[in-house]
Structures are given as structure tokens and as C-alpha cells.
Amino acid sequence: MDPLKALADAERKPYWLDSPDKPEPLRRLFEETAADLAVVGGGFSGLWAALMAKERDPSLDVVLLEGRRVGWAASGRNGGFCVASLTHGLANGLARWPQEISTLVRLGRDNLDEIERTVARYGIDCAFERTGELHVATEPWQLDGMAQDVEIARELGMDHRLLDRDQARAEVASPTYAGGLWDRDGCAMLDPARLAWGLREACLSLGVRIYERSPVRSLRDDGTAIELTTPHGKVRAAKVALGTGVFPPLLGRLKNFVVPVYDYALMTEPLSPEQLASVGWRNRQGIGDGANQFHYYRLTEDDRILWGGYDAVYYNGGRVRQEYEQRDATFATLASHFSTTFPQLEGIRFTHRWGGVIDTCSRFSAFFGKAHRGRLAYAVGYTGLGVGATRFGANVMLDLLSGEPTERTELRMVREKPVPFPPEPLRSGVIQLTRWSIAQADAHEGRRNIWLRTLDRLGLGFDS
């Protein structure tokens, strides 16, 4: 089918947020109030921070301030891959913190286990499935290193299995697969919006005061507490956990460390039993391919296919704008790539198309810190794998605010900062050159040009 015809009826809104399960909004903050802990941001970072603060100490008075609706931004627009990795994959972690990698792998696995237990404990209906994830090679060069990756992963206690071409296609029937790697228990698939809404209800059940449609316009430290001002109210808090992601930071020091990158996705109509049988996919794993410009895809609870990725777009100037959430050229490219991957699904239509903004830093995994004499903590820069890692980041923020060292706060990953991005307009030039170079690498069997090799030597090597 012509990609444009497949997209003709696709609504321009995030599939997960277009749901009858979406809760009614909570009230705005209309008064001045005080709290032991104020959490800024109603995405996963903020929700986990508020929930775990109350679990640690039920007597704490916790307020959460969200500028729009809980889960409306990245937390409600992603693919629903909840992975154990805290480092944006094993390779990135090994390259940056090899001496700590066994600890980071263990903490990541424990974090995913705790998410699963939390979902069960609070009865959160978010279609949680511990399926694992397939990393598939669609070109022979992408197989390079997979065997070594599996060997290292197994040494670290990870349940990884190497697949040849026939084994990969037996899992999911695509003529594009040349082989793959199956991480059998390090990833769960879920409905991210329903997870966010479920965490909202869990927070409310423990007594967290949540105010939606209450953006924090300013932050002021008067020496004894931090005052947060919204359009119609104020919160005076002894401590603050900042989980605002990519949006303009309330803490000036963060502005050079994070850039907004837009990611796009499509959702198909539900597959018929015959269509699903033609694809296989009996184990329902999440899938990502091995290109630098990679696709990610998965089955939903009702057997739709979410298909996203490939284009990671930085708009020059680094602004966050609603109009960037729709990009027809990318949607057409994604639809064309989908038909190449699954030719047996000819004629299937897409029901939703959307984009969302990701908080990206130069090390491609979250970084952390404190400000205002230890009264404020932040976690930011997840670069697209935040569904699981935000719970770890929230724990780090709470540890930092406690002032007591923990295993988490002693990690180099937590103590160190990424390399900052250069100022504009140089920033735009560097990022666009890197995006072009990544596309060139994919077109030339993964060979990285001198620019990418230079970034590699500086510890900044990356893919999309």
C-alpha cells in the first residue's frame, strides 16, 4: 500500500493518551501552601519521586506540581519499553563506567523487578508484560560484535541469547532479519500512559497532594526554604525534587547539558488473528533493530503494532514547540519502512501518528545533582530509555536530598556530569553534522567517518 494511503486516517495524537481510561484533571493550585517535599513535574521522574518519598516516610507532606496533565509529555508518548538498563544499553555503560558495570547491571535489574512489584502492589492496570527484547540485525554488518555482547552479558548474569537468521525469523517473521540477540528478561512492555495514571492514583492513595495545570514559573531560595511560584499559587518547600525533563530548566546550570530531540511513532489498527499468525511474534518481545538510525516496535495489549524511531530530529535553535510533534515526512518514511519489514501485512492502516520530545545529554543516560545547599536535587537527560530508569533516578534524587551517602550516590555515574553542549548557533551545526554522519554510517556498512571517530575518542560517540 502507498504509505500515504496507510496514513490517510491516522489521527494526529498520541495513541496512549487517546484513551477512555484517561482520568479527570486534578485541581489547580489556587493558594499558598507549605510542604516537606515539593516535586516539580508529573512525568515518571516526579511520580516515582513522590511515591517513593511517601513509602520511605509516610509522615512527609509531599506536593507534586504538574504544568499540564500527569503523563502528557514524554511519559505518555513513548514506546512503552521498560528496560533494566540504567546506562542506555550495555555498550554505553561499558564504554563509560567499566569498573562499575556489574553494579549498574545489578541495580538496573533490581529496579525493573521493583517496578514489576510496585505495579502489582498498587494494582496498576498498565498491561505489564515481562517479555524481554529482541535486538535484530537487518544488515550483515550489524551482526558484528553481537556474539561478544552476549558473552559479556552472560558474564554479568544477564539472560541473553544469540539468534541466527532462521532463529530470529522464527521469533518474528520478517524477511529483513539477518540474525539477532534476545535479552530474555531485561525488558517489560507496558502502556506508559496507564502506568503514569496508575502512579498518580498510588500517590494520591498515600496522601500526596497533586496539582495539575499548575506550571512552576519561578524558583526562589530564601535561605531557609525554596519557594515555587505558579500562575495562581505558591509552595514553600523544605526540599525540592526537580523532574522537568527537557523543558526550560528552573535551574540555570542545566541549560547547556540537555537538548530537545523529537522522536516519532505510528500505531496500526489491531491485527486480525490471521495477520498476527503471519508475523508470529508468539513471545511478544519488544524489538529494536541494529542500525544507528534504528526502529523500535512492539505489540500492544490488543495486538496493534507500534512502529517508531529512525528519525531523531533536532530543530535548530533547540526550542520545544507543539508544532514539532507532527512531521509528515518522517511519518511517510516510517510507513514505508514498516511495509518493507512486514510485507505480509500489506493493506494494514495506521490509526495514530505522533511525536514527542526527549531530553538528550551527551552521555545518553541520566545525570544527577544537587543545588541550593542540598535542598534541591535533579535527574535529567534520560535520552529515550526513561520508562524504567526514571525510578532509579527518583531514588537518586531522594538519596541526595537525604544527605546520607548510599550505594547509588557513590557511583561515578551519579557523581559525574556529561560534557556540555556548545552554545547556539554552534550547537545546531554540531548536532546536524552528527545526524548526517550517522546516516552516512548506516549507508556504508556502519563505517564511521572522521567526525564520528573524533566524537568516539572524546567519549561522545553515539548513535541515534
Side-chain angles (χ1 to χ4, degrees), residues 292-330:
N292 293 300
Q293 293 178 292
F294 64 91
H295 305 87
Y296 58 85
Y297 43 112
R298 50 79 56 95
L299 289 171
T300 65
E301 189 176 26
D302 61 349
D303 293 329
R304 300 169 183 263
I305 297 177
L306 180 147
W307 179 263
Y310 189 73
D311 274 344
V313 181
Y314 177 80
Y315 291 91
N316 289 345
R319 296 177 179 86
V320 177
R321 291 179 172 172
Q322 186 173 349
E323 58 262 35
Y324 295 158
E325 295 170 9
Q326 296 291 321
R327 193 169 191 265
D328 286 347
T330 293

mmCIF file of all heavy atoms in Angstrom, residues 292-330:
data_model
loop_
_atom_site.group_PDB
_atom_site.id
_atom_site.type_symbol
_atom_site.label_atom_id
_atom_site.label_comp_id
_atom_site.label_asym_id
_atom_site.label_seq_id
_atom_site.Cartn_x
_atom_site.Cartn_y
_atom_site.Cartn_z
ATOM 1 N N ASN A 292 22.220 2.499 13.228
ATOM 2 C CA ASN A 292 22.407 3.711 14.019
ATOM 3 C C ASN A 292 21.106 4.503 14.083
ATOM 4 O O ASN A 292 20.705 4.980 15.147
ATOM 5 C CB ASN A 292 23.516 4.568 13.414
ATOM 6 C CG ASN A 292 24.875 3.917 13.527
ATOM 7 O OD1 ASN A 292 25.350 3.646 14.611
ATOM 8 N ND2 ASN A 292 25.510 3.647 12.386
ATOM 9 N N GLN A 293 20.455 4.634 12.929
ATOM 10 C CA GLN A 293 19.105 5.198 12.885
ATOM 11 C C GLN A 293 18.142 4.020 13.016
ATOM 12 O O GLN A 293 17.740 3.427 12.027
ATOM 13 C CB GLN A 293 18.883 5.953 11.574
ATOM 14 C CG GLN A 293 19.714 7.207 11.433
ATOM 15 C CD GLN A 293 19.484 7.869 10.085
ATOM 16 O OE1 GLN A 293 19.855 7.333 9.039
ATOM 17 N NE2 GLN A 293 18.876 9.033 10.100
ATOM 18 N N PHE A 294 17.792 3.704 14.223
ATOM 19 C CA PHE A 294 17.095 2.443 14.473
ATOM 20 C C PHE A 294 15.589 2.631 14.614
ATOM 21 O O PHE A 294 15.097 3.719 14.943
ATOM 22 C CB PHE A 294 17.651 1.766 15.733
ATOM 23 C CG PHE A 294 17.430 2.550 17.001
ATOM 24 C CD1 PHE A 294 16.307 2.357 17.777
ATOM 25 C CD2 PHE A 294 18.377 3.480 17.424
ATOM 26 C CE1 PHE A 294 16.093 3.078 18.937
ATOM 27 C CE2 PHE A 294 18.180 4.210 18.590
ATOM 28 C CZ PHE A 294 17.038 4.014 19.352
ATOM 29 N N HIS A 295 14.879 1.538 14.354
ATOM 30 C CA HIS A 295 13.447 1.482 14.605
ATOM 31 C C HIS A 295 13.214 0.709 15.905
ATOM 32 O O HIS A 295 13.958 -0.212 16.225
ATOM 33 C CB HIS A 295 12.709 0.759 13.481
ATOM 34 C CG HIS A 295 12.967 1.327 12.119
ATOM 35 N ND1 HIS A 295 14.044 0.930 11.342
ATOM 36 C CD2 HIS A 295 12.301 2.250 11.394
ATOM 37 C CE1 HIS A 295 14.025 1.594 10.200
ATOM 38 N NE2 HIS A 295 12.970 2.404 10.200
ATOM 39 N N TYR A 296 12.161 1.061 16.609
ATOM 40 C CA TYR A 296 11.690 0.250 17.732
ATOM 41 C C TYR A 296 10.218 -0.063 17.489
ATOM 42 O O TYR A 296 9.482 0.751 16.926
ATOM 43 C CB TYR A 296 11.891 0.969 19.078
ATOM 44 C CG TYR A 296 11.217 2.312 19.184
ATOM 45 C CD1 TYR A 296 9.877 2.422 19.573
ATOM 46 C CD2 TYR A 296 11.909 3.487 18.901
ATOM 47 C CE1 TYR A 296 9.256 3.654 19.666
ATOM 48 C CE2 TYR A 296 11.298 4.729 18.995
ATOM 49 C CZ TYR A 296 9.968 4.804 19.367
ATOM 50 O OH TYR A 296 9.350 6.022 19.445
ATOM 51 N N TYR A 297 9.807 -1.278 17.877
ATOM 52 C CA TYR A 297 8.417 -1.658 17.632
ATOM 53 C C TYR A 297 8.006 -2.759 18.589
ATOM 54 O O TYR A 297 8.831 -3.483 19.132
ATOM 55 C CB TYR A 297 8.187 -2.036 16.174
ATOM 56 C CG TYR A 297 9.204 -2.893 15.467
ATOM 57 C CD1 TYR A 297 8.910 -4.198 15.074
ATOM 58 C CD2 TYR A 297 10.466 -2.380 15.124
ATOM 59 C CE1 TYR A 297 9.830 -4.975 14.377
ATOM 60 C CE2 TYR A 297 11.393 -3.146 14.423
ATOM 61 C CZ TYR A 297 11.074 -4.449 14.063
ATOM 62 O OH TYR A 297 11.980 -5.215 13.380
ATOM 63 N N ARG A 298 6.683 -2.844 18.771
ATOM 64 C CA ARG A 298 6.146 -3.789 19.745
ATOM 65 C C ARG A 298 4.656 -4.006 19.509
ATOM 66 O O ARG A 298 3.991 -3.232 18.796
ATOM 67 C CB ARG A 298 6.393 -3.285 21.167
ATOM 68 C CG ARG A 298 6.012 -1.839 21.527
ATOM 69 C CD ARG A 298 4.526 -1.586 21.801
ATOM 70 N NE ARG A 298 3.957 -2.412 22.829
ATOM 71 C CZ ARG A 298 3.835 -2.043 24.097
ATOM 72 N NH1 ARG A 298 4.226 -0.846 24.481
ATOM 73 N NH2 ARG A 298 3.254 -2.856 24.975
ATOM 74 N N LEU A 299 4.144 -5.084 20.100
ATOM 75 C CA LEU A 299 2.712 -5.347 20.099
ATOM 76 C C LEU A 299 2.065 -4.710 21.315
ATOM 77 O O LEU A 299 2.635 -4.702 22.405
ATOM 78 C CB LEU A 299 2.449 -6.860 20.140
ATOM 79 C CG LEU A 299 2.765 -7.676 18.897
ATOM 80 C CD1 LEU A 299 2.659 -9.165 19.208
ATOM 81 C CD2 LEU A 299 1.840 -7.305 17.747
ATOM 82 N N THR A 300 0.847 -4.206 21.128
ATOM 83 C CA THR A 300 0.073 -3.699 22.253
ATOM 84 C C THR A 300 -0.813 -4.816 22.815
ATOM 85 O O THR A 300 -0.874 -5.924 22.269
ATOM 86 C CB THR A 300 -0.818 -2.528 21.822
ATOM 87 O OG1 THR A 300 -1.789 -3.026 20.876
ATOM 88 C CG2 THR A 300 -0.010 -1.420 21.191
ATOM 89 N N GLU A 301 -1.528 -4.492 23.855
ATOM 90 C CA GLU A 301 -2.411 -5.460 24.501
ATOM 91 C C GLU A 301 -3.463 -6.002 23.542
ATOM 92 O O GLU A 301 -3.848 -7.180 23.611
ATOM 93 C CB GLU A 301 -3.077 -4.791 25.713
ATOM 94 C CG GLU A 301 -3.852 -5.704 26.604
ATOM 95 C CD GLU A 301 -4.398 -4.969 27.823
ATOM 96 O OE1 GLU A 301 -4.592 -3.734 27.731
ATOM 97 O OE2 GLU A 301 -4.623 -5.613 28.860
ATOM 98 N N ASP A 302 -3.933 -5.149 22.614
ATOM 99 C CA ASP A 302 -4.951 -5.589 21.653
ATOM 100 C C ASP A 302 -4.362 -5.885 20.275
ATOM 101 O O ASP A 302 -5.059 -5.842 19.260
ATOM 102 C CB ASP A 302 -6.081 -4.555 21.546
ATOM 103 C CG ASP A 302 -5.605 -3.194 21.058
ATOM 104 O OD1 ASP A 302 -4.368 -2.979 21.002
ATOM 105 O OD2 ASP A 302 -6.447 -2.343 20.735
ATOM 106 N N ASP A 303 -3.070 -6.199 20.235
ATOM 107 C CA ASP A 303 -2.382 -6.678 19.030
ATOM 108 C C ASP A 303 -2.306 -5.644 17.913
ATOM 109 O O ASP A 303 -2.356 -5.980 16.719
ATOM 110 C CB ASP A 303 -3.019 -7.978 18.515
ATOM 111 C CG ASP A 303 -2.807 -9.131 19.488
ATOM 112 O OD1 ASP A 303 -1.779 -9.137 20.184
ATOM 113 O OD2 ASP A 303 -3.680 -10.018 19.554
ATOM 114 N N ARG A 304 -2.160 -4.398 18.266
ATOM 115 C CA ARG A 304 -1.684 -3.394 17.316
ATOM 116 C C ARG A 304 -0.156 -3.457 17.288
ATOM 117 O O ARG A 304 0.472 -4.009 18.205
ATOM 118 C CB ARG A 304 -2.115 -1.991 17.749
ATOM 119 C CG ARG A 304 -3.623 -1.787 17.854
ATOM 120 C CD ARG A 304 -3.921 -0.464 18.549
ATOM 121 N NE ARG A 304 -5.348 -0.266 18.733
ATOM 122 C CZ ARG A 304 -6.126 0.446 17.926
ATOM 123 N NH1 ARG A 304 -5.593 1.052 16.874
ATOM 124 N NH2 ARG A 304 -7.422 0.561 18.154
ATOM 125 N N ILE A 305 0.446 -2.838 16.283
ATOM 126 C CA ILE A 305 1.900 -2.685 16.258
ATOM 127 C C ILE A 305 2.239 -1.208 16.361
ATOM 128 O O ILE A 305 1.797 -0.393 15.535
ATOM 129 C CB ILE A 305 2.525 -3.268 14.976
ATOM 130 C CG1 ILE A 305 2.288 -4.778 14.904
ATOM 131 C CG2 ILE A 305 4.028 -2.976 14.944
ATOM 132 C CD1 ILE A 305 2.819 -5.417 13.626
ATOM 133 N N LEU A 306 2.977 -0.864 17.398
ATOM 134 C CA LEU A 306 3.576 0.466 17.485
ATOM 135 C C LEU A 306 4.899 0.419 16.732
ATOM 136 O O LEU A 306 5.710 -0.494 16.928
ATOM 137 C CB LEU A 306 3.814 0.855 18.939
ATOM 138 C CG LEU A 306 4.443 2.241 19.163
ATOM 139 C CD1 LEU A 306 3.916 2.864 20.447
ATOM 140 C CD2 LEU A 306 5.977 2.203 19.208
ATOM 141 N N TRP A 307 5.113 1.394 15.864
ATOM 142 C CA TRP A 307 6.292 1.433 14.997
ATOM 143 C C TRP A 307 6.885 2.838 15.090
ATOM 144 O O TRP A 307 6.261 3.813 14.692
ATOM 145 C CB TRP A 307 5.876 1.104 13.574
ATOM 146 C CG TRP A 307 6.966 1.122 12.555
ATOM 147 C CD1 TRP A 307 7.290 2.158 11.717
ATOM 148 C CD2 TRP A 307 7.875 0.061 12.243
ATOM 149 N NE1 TRP A 307 8.339 1.799 10.909
ATOM 150 C CE2 TRP A 307 8.714 0.513 11.202
ATOM 151 C CE3 TRP A 307 8.054 -1.226 12.738
ATOM 152 C CZ2 TRP A 307 9.726 -0.267 10.655
ATOM 153 C CZ3 TRP A 307 9.057 -2.007 12.183
ATOM 154 C CH2 TRP A 307 9.877 -1.533 11.163
ATOM 155 N N GLY A 308 8.090 2.958 15.652
ATOM 156 C CA GLY A 308 8.654 4.294 15.841
ATOM 157 C C GLY A 308 10.153 4.334 15.642
ATOM 158 O O GLY A 308 10.798 3.343 15.325
ATOM 159 N N GLY A 309 10.703 5.545 15.821
ATOM 160 C CA GLY A 309 12.138 5.719 15.750
ATOM 161 C C GLY A 309 12.623 6.223 14.409
ATOM 162 O O GLY A 309 11.941 6.964 13.698
ATOM 163 N N TYR A 310 13.827 5.821 14.036
ATOM 164 C CA TYR A 310 14.559 6.154 12.824
ATOM 165 C C TYR A 310 14.982 7.626 12.818
ATOM 166 O O TYR A 310 16.157 7.924 12.978
ATOM 167 C CB TYR A 310 13.776 5.814 11.564
ATOM 168 C CG TYR A 310 14.614 5.950 10.302
ATOM 169 C CD1 TYR A 310 15.596 5.002 10.025
ATOM 170 C CD2 TYR A 310 14.445 7.010 9.432
ATOM 171 C CE1 TYR A 310 16.397 5.128 8.899
ATOM 172 C CE2 TYR A 310 15.237 7.134 8.296
ATOM 173 C CZ TYR A 310 16.209 6.197 8.042
ATOM 174 O OH TYR A 310 16.993 6.328 6.931
ATOM 175 N N ASP A 311 14.067 8.535 12.636
ATOM 176 C CA ASP A 311 14.404 9.956 12.662
ATOM 177 C C ASP A 311 14.432 10.446 14.110
ATOM 178 O O ASP A 311 13.432 10.353 14.830
ATOM 179 C CB ASP A 311 13.366 10.772 11.894
ATOM 180 C CG ASP A 311 13.653 10.841 10.408
ATOM 181 O OD1 ASP A 311 14.781 10.522 10.005
ATOM 182 O OD2 ASP A 311 12.733 11.212 9.654
ATOM 183 N N ALA A 312 15.578 10.963 14.523
ATOM 184 C CA ALA A 312 15.677 11.677 15.798
ATOM 185 C C ALA A 312 16.042 13.109 15.424
ATOM 186 O O ALA A 312 17.160 13.385 14.996
ATOM 187 C CB ALA A 312 16.739 11.049 16.697
ATOM 188 N N VAL A 313 15.095 14.017 15.553
ATOM 189 C CA VAL A 313 15.205 15.329 14.916
ATOM 190 C C VAL A 313 15.481 16.413 15.950
ATOM 191 O O VAL A 313 14.731 16.579 16.922
ATOM 192 C CB VAL A 313 13.918 15.662 14.142
ATOM 193 C CG1 VAL A 313 14.050 17.022 13.464
ATOM 194 C CG2 VAL A 313 13.638 14.581 13.098
ATOM 195 N N TYR A 314 16.557 17.146 15.711
ATOM 196 C CA TYR A 314 16.849 18.344 16.487
ATOM 197 C C TYR A 314 16.531 19.545 15.613
ATOM 198 O O TYR A 314 17.060 19.683 14.501
ATOM 199 C CB TYR A 314 18.317 18.379 16.901
ATOM 200 C CG TYR A 314 18.710 19.637 17.641
ATOM 201 C CD1 TYR A 314 18.413 19.781 18.993
ATOM 202 C CD2 TYR A 314 19.373 20.678 16.999
ATOM 203 C CE1 TYR A 314 18.770 20.929 19.678
ATOM 204 C CE2 TYR A 314 19.735 21.835 17.679
ATOM 205 C CZ TYR A 314 19.429 21.954 19.019
ATOM 206 O OH TYR A 314 19.777 23.086 19.707
ATOM 207 N N TYR A 315 15.644 20.394 16.088
ATOM 208 C CA TYR A 315 15.277 21.594 15.344
ATOM 209 C C TYR A 315 16.216 22.724 15.754
ATOM 210 O O TYR A 315 16.364 23.017 16.960
ATOM 211 C CB TYR A 315 13.813 21.967 15.613
ATOM 212 C CG TYR A 315 12.843 20.968 15.017
ATOM 213 C CD1 TYR A 315 12.386 19.874 15.761
ATOM 214 C CD2 TYR A 315 12.403 21.098 13.709
ATOM 215 C CE1 TYR A 315 11.502 18.950 15.210
ATOM 216 C CE2 TYR A 315 11.519 20.185 13.151
ATOM 217 C CZ TYR A 315 11.081 19.105 13.911
ATOM 218 O OH TYR A 315 10.215 18.191 13.353
ATOM 219 N N ASN A 316 16.855 23.335 14.767
ATOM 220 C CA ASN A 316 17.857 24.358 15.054
ATOM 221 C C ASN A 316 17.312 25.430 15.996
ATOM 222 O O ASN A 316 16.187 25.914 15.832
ATOM 223 C CB ASN A 316 18.334 25.015 13.751
ATOM 224 C CG ASN A 316 19.185 24.075 12.922
ATOM 225 O OD1 ASN A 316 19.647 23.049 13.408
ATOM 226 N ND2 ASN A 316 19.387 24.429 11.654
ATOM 227 N N GLY A 317 18.117 25.751 16.956
ATOM 228 C CA GLY A 317 17.708 26.701 17.985
ATOM 229 C C GLY A 317 17.293 26.017 19.269
ATOM 230 O O GLY A 317 17.236 26.652 20.318
ATOM 231 N N GLY A 318 16.983 24.721 19.193
ATOM 232 C CA GLY A 318 16.702 23.950 20.398
ATOM 233 C C GLY A 318 15.424 24.317 21.117
ATOM 234 O O GLY A 318 15.319 24.150 22.337
ATOM 235 N N ARG A 319 14.427 24.768 20.374
ATOM 236 C CA ARG A 319 13.165 25.148 21.026
ATOM 237 C C ARG A 319 12.237 23.939 21.142
ATOM 238 O O ARG A 319 12.316 23.001 20.359
ATOM 239 C CB ARG A 319 12.486 26.275 20.249
ATOM 240 C CG ARG A 319 13.288 27.571 20.238
ATOM 241 C CD ARG A 319 12.606 28.647 19.397
ATOM 242 N NE ARG A 319 13.359 29.888 19.413
ATOM 243 C CZ ARG A 319 14.369 30.166 18.590
ATOM 244 N NH1 ARG A 319 14.728 29.277 17.680
ATOM 245 N NH2 ARG A 319 14.999 31.314 18.667
ATOM 246 N N VAL A 320 11.339 24.007 22.118
ATOM 247 C CA VAL A 320 10.302 22.992 22.308
ATOM 248 C C VAL A 320 8.985 23.613 21.868
ATOM 249 O O VAL A 320 8.511 24.574 22.483
ATOM 250 C CB VAL A 320 10.231 22.542 23.782
ATOM 251 C CG1 VAL A 320 9.103 21.536 23.981
ATOM 252 C CG2 VAL A 320 11.567 21.941 24.212
ATOM 253 N N ARG A 321 8.415 23.077 20.777
ATOM 254 C CA ARG A 321 7.197 23.663 20.217
ATOM 255 C C ARG A 321 6.201 22.568 19.881
ATOM 256 O O ARG A 321 6.579 21.493 19.419
ATOM 257 C CB ARG A 321 7.518 24.461 18.948
ATOM 258 C CG ARG A 321 8.302 25.728 19.197
ATOM 259 C CD ARG A 321 8.602 26.454 17.906
ATOM 260 N NE ARG A 321 9.203 27.762 18.137
ATOM 261 C CZ ARG A 321 9.693 28.542 17.187
ATOM 262 N NH1 ARG A 321 9.647 28.135 15.916
ATOM 263 N NH2 ARG A 321 10.221 29.703 17.484
ATOM 264 N N GLN A 322 4.927 22.856 20.069
ATOM 265 C CA GLN A 322 3.889 21.872 19.806
ATOM 266 C C GLN A 322 3.857 21.460 18.342
ATOM 267 O O GLN A 322 3.613 20.283 18.029
ATOM 268 C CB GLN A 322 2.516 22.429 20.227
ATOM 269 C CG GLN A 322 1.399 21.405 20.111
ATOM 270 C CD GLN A 322 0.091 21.916 20.702
ATOM 271 O OE1 GLN A 322 0.057 22.950 21.370
ATOM 272 N NE2 GLN A 322 -0.975 21.192 20.455
ATOM 273 N N GLU A 323 4.145 22.380 17.426
ATOM 274 C CA GLU A 323 4.066 22.034 16.009
ATOM 275 C C GLU A 323 5.126 21.016 15.602
ATOM 276 O O GLU A 323 4.979 20.329 14.581
ATOM 277 C CB GLU A 323 4.176 23.282 15.126
ATOM 278 C CG GLU A 323 5.439 24.093 15.317
ATOM 279 C CD GLU A 323 5.221 25.289 16.244
ATOM 280 O OE1 GLU A 323 4.432 25.165 17.198
ATOM 281 O OE2 GLU A 323 5.846 26.343 15.992
ATOM 282 N N TYR A 324 6.185 20.868 16.387
ATOM 283 C CA TYR A 324 7.212 19.867 16.079
ATOM 284 C C TYR A 324 6.735 18.439 16.356
ATOM 285 O O TYR A 324 7.416 17.480 15.975
ATOM 286 C CB TYR A 324 8.468 20.124 16.896
ATOM 287 C CG TYR A 324 9.189 21.418 16.577
ATOM 288 C CD1 TYR A 324 10.046 21.996 17.514
ATOM 289 C CD2 TYR A 324 9.040 22.062 15.351
ATOM 290 C CE1 TYR A 324 10.725 23.170 17.248
ATOM 291 C CE2 TYR A 324 9.699 23.240 15.080
ATOM 292 C CZ TYR A 324 10.547 23.802 16.039
ATOM 293 O OH TYR A 324 11.214 24.965 15.764
ATOM 294 N N GLU A 325 5.598 18.285 16.998
ATOM 295 C CA GLU A 325 5.096 16.948 17.320
ATOM 296 C C GLU A 325 4.505 16.228 16.104
ATOM 297 O O GLU A 325 4.177 15.044 16.189
ATOM 298 C CB GLU A 325 4.046 17.042 18.435
ATOM 299 C CG GLU A 325 4.633 17.533 19.751
ATOM 300 C CD GLU A 325 3.583 17.852 20.792
ATOM 301 O OE1 GLU A 325 2.394 17.523 20.542
ATOM 302 O OE2 GLU A 325 3.923 18.422 21.829
ATOM 303 N N GLN A 326 4.365 16.936 14.998
ATOM 304 C CA GLN A 326 3.877 16.340 13.754
ATOM 305 C C GLN A 326 4.901 16.609 12.656
ATOM 306 O O GLN A 326 5.311 17.761 12.458
ATOM 307 C CB GLN A 326 2.518 16.915 13.366
ATOM 308 C CG GLN A 326 1.415 16.591 14.356
ATOM 309 C CD GLN A 326 1.049 15.115 14.352
ATOM 310 O OE1 GLN A 326 1.010 14.472 13.303
ATOM 311 N NE2 GLN A 326 0.765 14.569 15.531
ATOM 312 N N ARG A 327 5.314 15.541 11.954
ATOM 313 C CA ARG A 327 6.307 15.690 10.878
ATOM 314 C C ARG A 327 5.966 14.692 9.780
ATOM 315 O O ARG A 327 6.319 13.516 9.860
ATOM 316 C CB ARG A 327 7.710 15.460 11.424
ATOM 317 C CG ARG A 327 8.836 15.884 10.484
ATOM 318 C CD ARG A 327 10.178 15.875 11.213
ATOM 319 N NE ARG A 327 11.213 16.515 10.428
ATOM 320 C CZ ARG A 327 12.076 15.875 9.627
ATOM 321 N NH1 ARG A 327 11.998 14.544 9.491
ATOM 322 N NH2 ARG A 327 13.003 16.526 8.966
ATOM 323 N N ASP A 328 5.261 15.142 8.771
ATOM 324 C CA ASP A 328 4.709 14.240 7.772
ATOM 325 C C ASP A 328 5.780 13.481 6.998
ATOM 326 O O ASP A 328 5.579 12.322 6.609
ATOM 327 C CB ASP A 328 3.807 15.008 6.807
ATOM 328 C CG ASP A 328 2.475 15.398 7.448
ATOM 329 O OD1 ASP A 328 2.175 14.865 8.533
ATOM 330 O OD2 ASP A 328 1.754 16.233 6.872
ATOM 331 N N ALA A 329 6.928 14.122 6.746
ATOM 332 C CA ALA A 329 7.983 13.428 6.022
ATOM 333 C C ALA A 329 8.459 12.207 6.806
ATOM 334 O O ALA A 329 8.693 11.133 6.232
ATOM 335 C CB ALA A 329 9.157 14.379 5.760
ATOM 336 N N THR A 330 8.585 12.343 8.114
ATOM 337 C CA THR A 330 9.006 11.216 8.949
ATOM 338 C C THR A 330 7.924 10.146 8.997
ATOM 339 O O THR A 330 8.221 8.943 8.926
ATOM 340 C CB THR A 330 9.346 11.696 10.363
ATOM 341 O OG1 THR A 330 10.507 12.534 10.299
ATOM 342 C CG2 THR A 330 9.624 10.532 11.297
#
